[in-house]
Amino acid sequence: MNDAAEFRSGFVCLVGRPNTGKSTLLNALVGRQVAIVSDKPQTTRHAIRGIINRPGSQLVMIDTPGLSKPRALLQTRLNDLVAETLSDVDIIGVCLPADQRLGPGDQRIIEQLAGLAPRPPLVALATKADRVIPLLRRGGGGADGVVEDGWQQNRRGGGERLSEHLLSIDAAGAAAGIEWAHIVPCSGVTGWQVDEVRDVLGSLLAPGPRFYPGDEVTDEPSDVMIAELIREAALELVRDELPHSITVEVMEINERPDRPVDKPLWDIFANLVVERDSQKHIVIGRGGEMIREIGTAARLRINALLSMRVHLDLRVKVMENWQRDPKKLARLGF
């Protein structure tokens, strides 16, 4: 058998409710940041692709927005995006966080997956296991930091709680007529069982071509990644009521023509978009303090992730009720 026939590849979609650890797990699986991470719901608003290249195989991971009951047209469109993605992948990873009991939202997702025809292999991922059991680490950091074999039960019986969660996942699948291909507890934060997740997903791949060059880790355009890094910085700094109302428009990205070849500098002009004037004042902050802080944090992330030295010109723009207006959503790329 030749090498081409032995090579395996496929597309894997991560799906779940909002804030179930999908983006954190994606970054851990890829080995670097390709999706922004926040503890705020509705952080992911696009189908983000991360590419895992291994000897003899290529996994294209797709992180999707969290599925939830729509309260605005934006969430309806995000749910539609997830449904469209689910219909065109080879494997689906269902993120069901170990620190939360299965609820109605999880049940709806499982029932939706049960109705897929044809139905790809379904892998249940008990994410956020580190919140249930204090995992023991050796040495250095990073998403794939080494974790000691085994785990240490805490006073509240973390081991028993995780076991109960895995049994609940199995029972929920059976009730919906699903036989899980695998059920894997894991932690994208500590890296525990991330290798196991890669191995499990890789074992389900069929023979196929290499979709991307072996050195690529994402196919996201630079302007999309820049917008996401700006939004990530804003999500970390603004008040709790604002995150849903914030999005980012990248207007221009220009390389300065007068710079030395070995010291390029890029000018980025972008808008932080909010829905009301009152929100604009909050994002700007007293004397412009908040917008400067967001800009500094975003600039450092852009420098690091894209290996681009940039000057970021960040403004705040009001676009009333953009989450509910079809024309405004289309203009913003939704």
Side-chain angles (χ1 to χ4, degrees):
M1 185 178 294
N2 60 38
D3 290 342
E6 293 176 350
F7 195 85
R8 293 177 177 270
S9 63
F11 291 79
V12 183
C13 177
L14 295 177
V15 66
R17 291 182 289 103
N19 204 22
T20 55
K22 298 184 295 297
S23 298
T24 301
L25 180 58
L26 173 69
N27 292 335
L29 288 167
V30 173
R32 59 170 285 188
Q33 183 178 16
V34 294
I36 68 169
V37 176
S38 167
D39 59 1
K40 312 290 197 304
Q42 204 190 82
T43 298
T44 302
R45 290 177 174 170
H46 302 275
I48 305 296
R49 293 186 179 185
I51 303 161
I52 303 173
N53 294 293
R54 309 182 80 186
S57 69
Q58 185 176 76
L59 276 164
V60 182
M61 305 292 304
I62 306 173
D63 180 24
T64 59
L67 284 166
S68 63
K69 186 176 180 180
R71 297 182 179 179
L73 181 58
L74 172 61
Q75 186 60 52
T76 299
R77 293 201 171 173
L78 296 182
N79 287 352
D80 290 343
L81 173 63
V82 178
E84 180 181 344
T85 305
L86 291 175
S87 66
D88 196 29
V89 294
D90 303 295
I91 305 165
I92 297 174
V94 189
C95 294
L96 302 161
D99 65 331
Q100 303 168 32
R101 300 188 185 281
L102 297 189
D106 300 308
Q107 299 288 353
R108 283 194 296 269
I109 292 170
I110 292 171
E111 290 168 5
Q112 179 179 346
L113 296 175
L116 292 177
R119 185 195 306 163
L122 303 177
V123 177
L125 301 168
T127 53
K128 302 189 179 184
D130 58 291
R131 296 191 178 185
V132 177
I133 298 173
L135 306 178
L136 298 175
R137 292 179 65 120
R138 282 200 306 261
D144 288 320
V146 178
V147 179
E148 295 279 5
D149 291 337
W151 51 55
Q152 180 184 25
Q153 293 188 5
N154 62 20
R155 297 176 190 170
R156 292 174 293 177
E160 289 84 353
R161 183 174 172 187
L162 180 58
S163 297
E164 290 174 1
H165 186 66
L166 300 181
L167 290 171
S168 296
I169 291 173
D170 190 37
I178 287 175
E179 182 177 352
W180 301 108
H182 296 273
I183 301 175
V184 187
C186 57
S187 168
V189 170
T190 68
W192 181 68
Q193 294 256 104
V194 167
D195 284 341
E196 178 69 14
V197 174
R198 288 196 200 97
D199 290 342
V200 162
L201 296 175
S203 71
L204 298 171
L205 292 175
R210 184 184 294 277
F211 295 103
Y212 297 93
D215 58 347
E216 287 195 15
V217 295
T218 185
D219 66 350
E220 290 302 302
S222 294
D223 60 336
V224 173
M225 297 190 74
I226 288 168
E228 288 291 87
L229 290 172
I230 295 170
R231 190 163 65 90
E232 182 181 49
L235 290 177
E236 290 182 0
L237 294 167
V238 300
R239 295 201 321 228
D240 289 345
E241 63 266 29
L242 270 176
H244 289 293
S245 298
I246 292 178
T247 193
V248 177
E249 282 184 306
V250 174
M251 308 305 293
E252 292 184 44
I253 305 174
N254 301 315
E255 185 177 8
R256 289 196 187 176
D258 56 346
R259 300 286 298 184
V261 175
D262 59 338
K263 294 182 180 179
L265 179 67
W266 294 78
D267 288 308
I268 299 174
F269 300 88
N271 294 325
L272 269 170
V273 179
V274 296
E275 293 187 296
R276 298 190 298 275
D277 283 327
S278 59
Q279 296 171 341
K280 177 178 180 179
H281 297 314
I282 293 171
V283 174
I284 292 175
R286 182 176 297 178
E289 182 179 358
M290 177 62 74
I291 190 68
R292 284 196 299 270
E293 193 172 350
I294 293 171
T296 298
R299 177 175 53 79
L300 293 174
R301 294 170 200 217
I302 295 166
N303 288 343
L305 186 63
L306 302 181
S307 299
M308 296 168 57
R309 186 165 177 266
V310 304
H311 171 263
L312 178 60
D313 187 312
L314 190 58
R315 310 290 176 94
V316 183
K317 174 180 178 180
V318 177
M319 190 179 291
E320 292 187 2
N321 295 318
W322 67 263
Q323 295 186 77
R324 295 168 173 79
D325 188 311
K327 291 183 180 178
K328 293 174 181 176
L329 283 170
R331 174 179 169 181
L332 292 168
F334 297 104

